[in-house]
Amino acid sequence: MADPASYRPRTGEVPTSPGVYRFRDPDGRVIYVGKAKNLRSRLASYFQDPNGLHPKTRAMVFTAASVEWTVVGSELEALQLEYTWIKQYTPRFNIMYRDDKSYPYLAVTMNEKYPRVQVMRGDKRKGVKYFGPFHPAKAIRETVDLMLRVFPVRTCSSGVFRRAELSGRPCLMGYIDKCAAPCVDRISQAGHRQLAQDFCDFMAGDAQKYIRRLEGQMKEAVADLRYEDAARRRDDIAALKRVFERNAVVLSESTEADIFAFADDELEAAVQVFHVRDGRIRGQRGWVVEKVEDVSGATMVEQLLEQVYGSLEDTSRIPREVLVPELPENADQVAALLSGMRGAQVSLRVPQRGDKRSLMETVKENAVLALRVHKTRRSGDLTTRSAALRELQDALELPEPLLRIECYDISHVSGTNVVGSMVVVEDGMPKKADYRKFSVTGDAARDDTAAMRNVLTRRFRHYLEDQERNGTFATGEIALETDPADEGPSGAPADGPPSRRFAYPPSLVVVDGGPPQVASAVQALADLGITDLPVVGLAKRLEELWLPGEEFPLVLPRASQGLYMLQRIRDESHRFAITFHREKRGKSMVSSVLDGIEGLGPAKQKVLLKHFGSVKRIRAASVDQLQEARGIGPALAATVHGALHPEISASENEPTEPNEPTEATEADDMASADRVTQGINLTTGEILD
């Protein structure tokens, strides 16, 4: 760890203007972003007596190796730049209110011929009616399930709807009377649209009309002694009342607000928000975050609002009113920022009395309970992870804490479809966004050790290239040029812009295997000039640790938390490699007779298939007919025809007289033609068109 005094800027160098500052670690990674009205005064506070700092602030300044700043013209500009950099760099020491999903809404697609009820996220679409937001999404599905008893509107996808139309049979929802089945004309288009409109009217608050209508139908059924119908109406009324109670009015119907509240201690904070739309609580969300500094409630409110609303793709969903427990110091600038995002005025204030104050107290109670539950659940996990990392560090005699561990594994079947995987653990927790998978081909695929060497060479070559390109990492953007065969966890190339995930080395490299794999990994690093990275192998047979150059393994106790952590990391890398291998093997096991024809690439294969409809028709076509397809010339048509009719090519080379085939020859030709299949799935044996 660096001594803060080694990079402390001179007092006269730091301006007294407003600005934004960044702390970087020795590898150039941005680990903290902050803003200040007075940069000189703010930065000086980080370099006081370390014993007087907040524990996480102390850890941050000792982890950092440099600090830099940017002067701006106003506090509003500082606020905007701070948020931009936090979103860009995702610093590990900033308070991050992470939420990987947008608001879930209940949507009715009134712009379709047959409106559909579904859960939607993302940008709003024209002609679609939205209700919400709801949180969690389970609340929407429960609401829809209750509503479909009374308003059986279509919920199926377009594909399911078309299949039902063609087959003349409705889907399961139609059979259980939770869909009016317009796909098979059980209800007219106009009738179904009216049903969807009734659904929307009920969700908009006009509930009593429909409840009274059902009560009247129930009484009529009882008078006519139709007790089963009366019981169904009774259950429908109960369902609608449950939905109505869930969306009960708590404020005036014109209220559109988000109400935030906090509960915190020295190290963590829980945040809860109630989304109120049309006077009704439509949803609830919550976060639990670690506090890096001993920040005030006003500062937390500012950071929360800029991150929560800044991450919205559809900023029109920012409400007219935002109620918070404490106003930030620069409340006017924050309100101006939110108003600019929304494109309309946003009121930021603290409720003082009345129903809104009472509702905020309810939100506060939820935050207190959330923090209490989080502390109970997390205490054991956090203690265990910390103990495991310390135990590993001591067992391997490493000078630095194991902040980042990378584990590598190779997967194949008898040397075919060789792939490699890399999984990442930071602070004892998996970081799946940094997982990578590698395709290994050529000489590198001859055995496990060569494949391991290839994978590590590719991964750390990128690190060295970036280090050389960026020098000391003092300034500039960190970008990574990766091998096209290196893919992210979703299959995307690892070189997506901008990528800073591999611009710094791990604290420990773990390989799945024994001495051969460890030696291969060490050799790969040595060839690149990297000699200071610790490497360890975890062998499956006895679960022992192999260190480079050691004759005997390091054996940890079976109850060791450090061993458990390495086993989990190793198993995760194996799972990730196996998943990619199966995917690659599955693709390779589907072949087509068109593959391998000289001059016929994937694009022209698609042209032929689109023109003729199937490989069977391509085989039946003559050379002249093949030329009718766009882009297929005489030479290529002759090549394709010859490849699909090898028996004709063979007969042309035979010295026998033409037009005099025997019966046996004709039968052989037919059998030969039958053996030319359009495409075969080698797993199932199914012939593909």
Side-chain angles (χ1 to χ4, degrees):
M1 291 188 177
D3 182 358
S6 65
Y7 65 89
R8 177 176 182 172
R10 296 179 181 177
T11 304
E13 295 176 349
V14 185
T16 57
S17 308
V20 182
Y21 54 91
R22 293 178 289 184
F23 282 88
R24 292 183 181 269
D25 67 7
D27 298 298
R29 187 171 34 158
V30 175
I31 60 173
Y32 187 74
V33 174
K35 63 170 178 53
K37 294 180 182 178
N38 185 319
L39 283 169
R40 180 181 299 176
S41 173
R42 187 72 183 90
L43 288 178
S45 67
Y46 289 100
F47 299 97
Q48 56 181 298
D49 180 10
N51 296 324
L53 295 175
H54 186 273
K56 287 193 174 292
T57 306
R58 185 178 185 278
M60 186 270 291
V61 296
F62 276 93
T63 302
S66 63
V67 62
E68 56 194 42
W69 55 86
T70 300
V71 175
V72 296
S74 65
E75 291 183 49
L76 179 58
E77 290 181 17
L79 183 66
Q80 293 171 331
L81 183 58
E82 179 195 35
Y83 168 68
T84 300
W85 280 354
I86 289 176
K87 190 173 182 180
Q88 178 179 351
Y89 296 112
T90 59
R92 64 185 298 259
F93 283 101
N94 275 90
I95 295 177
M96 301 298 292
Y97 300 90
R98 294 184 175 92
D99 190 5
D100 60 350
K101 294 183 175 67
S102 58
Y103 293 86
Y105 279 76
L106 173 57
V108 184
T109 58
M110 298 300 289
N111 57 345
E112 296 185 14
K113 180 179 179 181
Y114 295 102
R116 175 190 177 193
V117 175
Q118 63 184 119
V119 179
M120 278 191 178
R121 298 179 185 269
D123 295 339
K124 290 186 176 180
R125 305 175 188 173
K126 187 177 181 180
V128 178
K129 291 191 175 182
Y130 291 87
F131 303 94
F134 294 84
H135 189 81
K138 180 182 177 183
I140 306 182
R141 296 185 178 94
E142 291 176 351
T143 298
V144 171
D145 188 62
L146 292 171
M147 293 282 290
L148 292 179
R149 291 182 55 92
V150 185
F151 307 105
V153 185
R154 167 198 162 206
T155 57
C156 60
S157 66
S158 299
V160 172
F161 189 86
R162 284 195 297 270
R163 283 198 297 273
E165 279 186 314
L166 295 173
S167 65
R169 294 179 298 171
C171 64
L172 176 63
M173 299 296 283
Y175 280 114
I176 63 175
D177 296 327
K178 286 195 173 181
C179 177
C183 53
V184 293
D185 296 327
R186 285 188 186 172
I187 187 173
S188 65
Q189 178 183 345
H192 185 268
R193 179 165 291 276
Q194 183 58 49
L195 198 62
Q197 187 60 52
D198 291 343
F199 185 103
C200 295
D201 291 344
F202 182 91
M203 290 301 299
D206 192 7
Q208 292 299 334
K209 177 177 69 175
Y210 299 100
I211 293 176
R212 286 195 298 269
R213 180 197 298 174
L214 289 173
E215 288 174 343
Q217 293 174 358
M218 181 179 67
K219 292 177 181 178
E220 290 177 3
V222 170
D224 296 340
L225 306 182
R226 293 183 285 109
Y227 297 115
E228 291 184 0
D229 290 344
R232 277 194 291 270
R233 296 295 177 267
R234 178 202 61 200
D235 294 340
D236 292 346
I237 292 170
L240 290 188
K241 284 184 176 179
R242 285 201 296 274
V243 174
F244 183 70
E245 289 168 0
R246 178 176 293 166
N247 295 290
V249 176
V250 294
L251 300 171
S252 65
E253 292 193 2
S254 61
T255 302
E256 179 185 340
D258 284 349
I259 305 177
F260 292 88
F262 291 89
D264 65 333
D265 57 17
E266 296 81 4
L267 299 177
E268 294 180 303
V271 184
Q272 289 283 314
V273 56
F274 280 11
H275 304 292
V276 179
R277 301 294 185 271
D278 301 322
R280 295 171 174 80
I281 299 174
R282 297 296 193 181
Q284 174 187 6
R285 299 168 79 194
W287 303 266
V288 177
V289 297
E290 294 183 356
K291 295 169 66 176
V292 181
E293 300 181 82
D294 188 14
V295 295
S296 63
T299 303
M300 291 186 64
V301 167
E302 176 189 315
Q303 295 175 348
L304 170 68
L305 296 182
E306 67 181 49
Q307 288 190 43
V308 170
Y309 292 125
S311 61
L312 286 179
E313 294 182 2
D314 184 3
T315 53
S316 65
R317 294 179 179 175
I318 299 175
R320 290 191 298 266
E321 194 172 13
V322 177
L323 304 179
V324 292
E326 187 176 348
L327 285 177
E329 295 179 2
N330 54 342
D332 294 340
Q333 285 82 4
V334 174
L337 180 64
L338 296 180
S339 299
M341 291 178 181
R342 182 174 183 258
Q345 185 66 32
V346 174
S347 172
L348 177 64
R349 65 186 187 87
V350 178
Q352 300 296 331
R353 62 185 67 84
D355 293 337
K356 292 180 180 178
R357 180 67 185 178
S358 300
L359 187 55
M360 173 160 284
E361 291 174 357
T362 302
V363 182
K364 172 78 172 180
E365 291 176 10
N366 279 266
V368 171
L369 291 173
L371 183 62
R372 187 180 304 160
V373 171
H374 171 77
K375 287 289 185 183
T376 303
R377 292 177 178 175
R378 172 120 181 177
S379 58
D381 294 339
L382 185 60
T383 303
T384 302
R385 289 201 312 272
S386 300
L389 291 172
R390 282 196 303 270
E391 185 176 346
L392 275 179
Q393 182 182 352
D394 294 341
L396 299 176
E397 298 180 355
L398 300 177
E400 298 291 335
L402 299 178
L403 298 179
R404 179 183 175 103
I405 302 175
E406 294 181 2
C407 184
Y408 298 85
D409 187 25
I410 304 298
S411 180
H412 60 85
V413 173
S414 301
T416 61
N417 299 309
V418 182
V419 301
S421 70
M422 166 185 144
V423 302
V424 179
V425 170
E426 287 194 355
D427 296 327
M429 295 291 289
K431 191 174 183 183
K432 294 191 176 183
D434 285 7
Y435 285 14
R436 285 297 179 271
K437 48 195 180 185
F438 303 81
S439 294
V440 183
T441 58
D443 292 340
R446 66 179 182 272
D447 56 40
D448 282 4
T449 56
M452 183 67 72
R453 183 172 178 176
N454 175 266
V455 168
L456 267 77
T457 299
R458 287 155 62 182
R459 183 264 183 264
F460 286 98
R461 186 180 66 243
H462 304 326
Y463 160 65
L464 293 179
E465 290 173 353
D466 185 87
Q467 195 174 43
E468 180 180 358
R469 182 167 54 249
N470 291 281
T472 62
F473 297 99
T475 58
E477 193 68 39
I478 299 177
L480 182 62
E481 295 178 0
T482 58
D483 194 303
D486 306 350
E487 299 183 0
S490 62
D495 55 353
S499 179
R500 297 178 297 276
R501 296 188 178 106
F502 306 121
Y504 54 93
S507 306
L508 177 65
V509 174
V510 181
V511 297
D512 182 17
Q517 286 77 15
V518 173
S520 179
V522 171
Q523 187 60 48
L525 296 174
D527 291 345
L528 295 171
I530 302 174
T531 58
D532 57 347
L533 278 186
V535 179
V536 64
L538 180 60
K540 290 188 180 73
R541 188 170 66 90
L542 298 176
E543 301 291 9
E544 69 267 20
L545 303 182
W546 288 93
L547 301 176
E550 295 292 334
E551 185 178 356
F552 299 102
L554 172 64
V555 180
L556 295 180
R558 289 300 178 185
S560 164
Q561 293 296 335
L563 179 60
Y564 288 162
M565 176 169 286
L566 284 182
Q567 287 173 330
R568 289 195 296 270
I569 297 171
R570 189 268 317 277
D571 293 343
E572 175 69 357
S573 69
H574 187 62
R575 178 201 66 80
F576 195 53
I578 284 289
T579 302
F580 183 39
H581 169 74
R582 287 173 178 167
E583 176 187 338
K584 188 175 180 182
R585 186 181 63 191
K587 291 179 180 178
S588 69
M589 294 178 72
V590 177
S591 62
S592 169
V593 72
L594 297 179
D595 296 335
I597 298 179
E598 186 178 356
L600 190 67
K604 291 189 178 179
Q605 286 185 28
K606 291 180 181 179
V607 169
L608 284 173
L609 289 171
K610 184 176 181 180
H611 183 81
F612 290 98
S614 68
V615 178
K616 183 177 180 180
R617 293 178 181 173
I618 296 174
R619 183 186 297 109
S622 65
V623 174
D624 292 337
Q625 290 172 330
L626 288 173
Q627 295 180 51
E628 294 175 2
R630 181 171 54 85
I632 306 299
L636 182 56
T639 301
V640 172
H641 191 269
L644 296 180
H645 301 83
E647 71 284 359
I648 296 178
S649 300
S651 65
E652 289 176 351
N653 296 325
E654 290 291 333
T656 57
E657 293 293 329
N659 301 323
E660 295 181 359
T662 63
E663 292 184 3
T665 303
E666 291 177 351
D668 290 343
D669 288 346
M670 293 176 63
S672 177
D674 288 339
R675 285 194 295 271
V676 182
T677 59
Q678 297 96 317
I680 302 176
N681 185 318
L682 300 182
T683 304
T684 63
E686 178 185 3
I687 298 177
L688 308 175
D689 286 338

